[in-house]
């Protein structure tokens, strides 16, 4: 089969690789119909996530048709159309039984590697380094899906792929970011990063009753999509001082909750501050650049909530702990427990409360994945979200 | 996975049944005690029997020997460091023999006869002491090589279920990677077969030495095995319906030399990591029903082998 493989920093290649096969009784093999490039794939592309190896198959947002099933999978049939959540979860450990699927205790066979970096290990994730299990990803013609009796959701009805595909990651991720904000009537929610995850966080904050949503980014195209689809007010941080602008917009209070939908590769308008973090990152004194996180903490109103859904890999520097502690802020975070949100969010799509396909700007064949990465990374041609079809 | 060494167990690690020192040191201790008391109580009489009564200061010498005998008796009967105390007896024997050598210069025939008998007896005792000392030293070396490992894991299952799974020893090879099979006999004994390097197998027989349902299970290899080993697993209920803490203590005594190196390989270059990996797989098996495999780790959890693995490409075939 053909698959998009990580070949080194800034290099991906579509190559011929062996077909996946059933390794366990709870496996399924899926023929992929649509897959997407996620913002967090760019952290892999840029070489910031440790334990990638040449030849690793990328991709953790995918959907398709079941072509083969292990003996223990009874909830699916060959031919079913499914969306696959990106965290791999066993469904039976303490974490899974409490709904914390992205920290499943069993699905990462290389948990010991992750423990070295993080203390305890999160779940396995498709196509996201050996530290997260070394599972082949879904930017391919076929994928092996472990614990298929727990993860994938069967799609019935005449939805287009683009309407349901993002249930595998960015829609529930954005939704969880908003849910962690404990939104109350009248709340103002600010979102750093108006990429697709940020856009879904804004749309979800709206669905959960936020009064106002504020989008912070530097790309006019993303800000425009956010404005048009989620009714967000916008701040271009290259033109405006964010802290000042947020004080102004809230008459001094600050947003009630702040969502960091940026993560490790955030950018700062000040050349000096950018250089400081890039320099430390280059010599491995820190692994992540946390401008957005710092700004979210500093901006949040007293006793507010900072919700982190942007992906961080390791260690950050100059963390404003004094602000967090003295002002009674709550910091919440997590990779999305996707399995928890599949059904309720599919119901929202079915009821017409949201059509997630608004994020898509580009559709390309799998074979053009290298060009798609290049375009998505550099935001060429106003690229917001790419869907690849096999 | 909470699994560091020395996870704060109050209990001693299980005793590995290495080839012990046997009853010899204690028997020698009793002998020493008797002789010591006699030498201190009636030195004159003993000197006469041994043919030493012509030596000047023989009473002082024999009292000194008596005190020494009592010293080694105390050491040997204490049960600690039997090898050391047996060797002190050998040294004492050598002193006695040299004193007898001096005494044999006498012209008196009757004394010479008694002295020869005494020398013969002391010579035999020396041989016995030497034999015991060599045995005790070997046992001490084997004990010195005993490796002790600890690891623990929390599983989301009640203790009785976890205990039952473990109590069926035939289940162990499902997650203990170095085991090929455990065959359980009708008499509470079991035969364990392990994979050794170069496609070979090693086996040993074991017995269960402690069995409290849902609480503790301990086993020990039977004497005479190549790799004496023992293990204990405790099942501790975690309050609040949080499942069971499984705390494992293992000990094994690899033989010395080439064989020992082979056994070390068998148990892994990083034995503690191997036990942790075993427990991780145990948790996977009992919670999910399978060993979790990924494309880059088709055999499942194994940190030691992971670094050499291929990238996450699907397997050929
Ligand atoms: Zn993602
Ligand atoms: Zn789980």
């Amino acid at each position: 089969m053909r698959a998009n493989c990580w070949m080194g920093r800034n290099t991906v290649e579509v190559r011929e690789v062996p077909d996946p096969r059933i390794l366990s009784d709870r496996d399924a093999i899926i023929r992929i119909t649509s897959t997407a490039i996620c913002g967090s794939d760019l952290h892999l592309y840029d070489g910031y996530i440790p334990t990638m190896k040449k030849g690793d198959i990328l991709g953790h947002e995918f959907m398709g048709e079941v072509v083969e099933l292990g003996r223990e999978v009874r909830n699916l049939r060959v031919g079913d159309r499914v969306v696959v959540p990106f965290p791999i979860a066993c469904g039976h450990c303490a974490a899974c039984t409490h709904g914390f699927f992205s920290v499943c205790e069993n699905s990462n066979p290389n948990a010991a590697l992750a423990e070295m970096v993080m203390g305890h290990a999160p779940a396995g994730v498709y196509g996201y380094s050996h530290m997260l299990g070394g599972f082949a990803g879904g930017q391919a013609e076929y994928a092996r899906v472990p614990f298929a009796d727990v993860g994938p959701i069967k799609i019935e009805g005449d939805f287009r792929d683009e309407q349901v595909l993002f249930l595998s990651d960015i829609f529930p991720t954005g939704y969880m970011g908003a849910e962690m904000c404990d939104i109350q009537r009248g709340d103002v929610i600010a979102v750093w990063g108006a990429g697709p995850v940020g856009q879904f966080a804004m749309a979800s904050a709206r669905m959960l009753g936020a009064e106002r949503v504020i989008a912070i980014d530097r790309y006019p195209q993303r800000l425009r999509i956010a404005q048009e689809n989620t009714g967000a007010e916008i701040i271009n941080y290259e033109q405006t001082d964010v802290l000042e602008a947020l004080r102004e917009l809230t008459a001094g209070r600050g947003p009630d909750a702040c969502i960091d939908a940026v993560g490790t590769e955030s950018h700062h308008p000040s050349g000096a501050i950018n250089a400081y973090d890039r320099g430390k990152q280059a010599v491995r004194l820190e692994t992540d650049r946390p401008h957005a996180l710092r700004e979210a903490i500093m901006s949040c109103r007293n006793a507010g909530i900072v919700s982190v859904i942007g992906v961080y890999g390791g260690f950050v520097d100059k963390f404003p702990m004094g602000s967090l502690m003295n002002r009674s802020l709550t910091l919440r975070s997590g990779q999305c427990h996707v399995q928890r949100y599949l059904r309720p969010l599919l119901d929202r799509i079915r009821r017409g409360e949201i059509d997630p396909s608004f994020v898509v700007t580009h559709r390309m064949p799998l074979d053009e994945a290298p060009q798609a990465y290049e375009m998505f990374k550099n935001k060429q041609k106003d690229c917001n979200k790419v869907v690849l079809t096999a | 996975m909470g699994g560091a060494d020395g996870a704060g167990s109050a209990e001693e690690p299980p005793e590995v049944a290495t080839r012990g020192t046997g009853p010899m040191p204690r028997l020698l201790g009793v002998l020493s005690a008797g002789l010591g008391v006699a030498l201190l109580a009636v030195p004159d009489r003993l000197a006469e029997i041994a043919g030493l009564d012509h030596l000047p200061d023989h009473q002082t010498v024999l009292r000194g020997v008596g005190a020494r005998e009592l010293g080694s008796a105390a050491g040997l009967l204490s049960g600690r460091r039997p090898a050391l105390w047996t060797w002190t007896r050998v040294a004492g024997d050598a002193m006695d023999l040299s004193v007898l050598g001096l005494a044999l210069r006498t012209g008196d025939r009757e004394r010479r006869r008694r002295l020869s008998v005494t020398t013969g007896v002391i010579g035999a005792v020396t041989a016995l002491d030497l034999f015991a000392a060599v045995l005790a030293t070997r046992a001490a070396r084997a004990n010195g090589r005993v490796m002790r490992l600890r690891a623990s894991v929390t599983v989301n299952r009640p203790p009785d279920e976890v205990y039952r799974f473990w109590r069926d020893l035939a289940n162990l090879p499902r997650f203990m990677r170095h085991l090929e099979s455990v065959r359980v006999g009708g008499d509470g004994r079991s035969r364990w077969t392990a994979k050794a390097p170069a496609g070979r197998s090693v086996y040993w027989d074991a017995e269960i030495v402690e069995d409290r349902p849902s609480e503790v299970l301990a086993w020990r290899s039977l004497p005479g095995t190549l790799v004496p080993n023992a293990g204990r697993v405790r099942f501790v209920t975690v309050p609040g319906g949080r499942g069971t803490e499984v705390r494992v203590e293992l000990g094994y005594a690899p033989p010395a030399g080439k064989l020992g190196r082979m056994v070390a390989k068998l148990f892994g270059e990083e034995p503690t990591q191997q036990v942790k990996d075993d427990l991780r797989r145990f948790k996977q098996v009992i919670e999910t029903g399978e060993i979790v495999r990924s494309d880059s780790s088709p055999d499942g959890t194994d940190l030691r082998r992971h670094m050499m693995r291929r990238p996450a490409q699907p397997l050929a075939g």
Side-chain angles (χ1 to χ4, degrees), chain B residues 173-294:
Chain B
R174 287 178 66 185
F175 60 92
M176 291 187 175
R177 185 137 287 166
H178 66 283
L179 286 182
E180 211 164 83
S181 67
V182 178
R183 260 196 293 283
V184 182
D187 49 357
R189 296 193 166 182
S190 46
R191 169 155 292 196
W192 302 47
T193 309
K195 295 168 204 153
R200 292 202 278 177
S201 294
V202 177
Y203 68 86
W204 62 87
D205 293 316
E207 59 180 350
I208 285 178
V209 291
E210 198 181 352
D211 186 1
R212 287 190 308 226
S214 308
E215 280 178 41
V216 175
L217 186 66
W219 62 93
R220 181 161 70 180
S221 60
L222 294 174
T225 167
L226 192 64
V227 192
N229 65 83
R232 176 190 289 127
V233 54
R234 287 181 296 130
F235 309 95
V236 185
T237 309
V238 198
R242 287 173 167 81
T244 306
E245 289 177 0
V246 179
R247 298 188 173 274
V248 174
E249 300 148 59
L250 291 176
Y252 65 95
K258 198 176 160 194
L259 202 59
R261 285 195 293 280
M262 191 186 88
V263 169
K265 251 191 188 151
L266 162 75
F267 279 85
E269 270 104 50
E270 193 39 84
T272 306
Q273 185 58 50
Q274 180 153 333
V275 177
K276 286 182 183 175
D277 285 353
D278 281 347
L279 282 186
R280 232 187 259 280
R281 286 186 291 266
F282 167 70
K283 179 176 166 68
Q284 291 167 4
V285 167
I286 196 157
E287 288 186 350
T288 79
E290 62 182 47
I291 296 283
V292 177
R293 300 161 209 278
S294 74

Side-chain angles (χ1 to χ4, degrees), chain B residues 51 72 98 147 252 260 287:
Chain B
S72 19
S98 54
M147 311 280 294
Y252 65 95
E287 288 186 350

Side-chain angles (χ1 to χ4, degrees), chain A residues 53-54 56 105-106 133 144, chain B residues 283 287 293-294 309 311-312:
Chain A
K53 285 185 184 171
K54 199 173 167 182
D56 286 351
E105 294 159 19
N106 286 319
R144 166 183 172 251
Chain B
K283 179 176 166 68
E287 288 186 350
R293 300 161 209 278
S294 74
R309 290 262 168 74

Side-chain angles (χ1 to χ4, degrees), chain A residues 282-300:
Chain A
V283 295
R284 296 283 182 244
L285 280 173
E286 64 177 343
T287 53
D288 300 77
R289 299 200 299 268
H291 307 307
L293 179 60
R294 290 178 190 136
E295 213 167 58
I297 291 172
M298 299 295 281
S299 306
C300 195

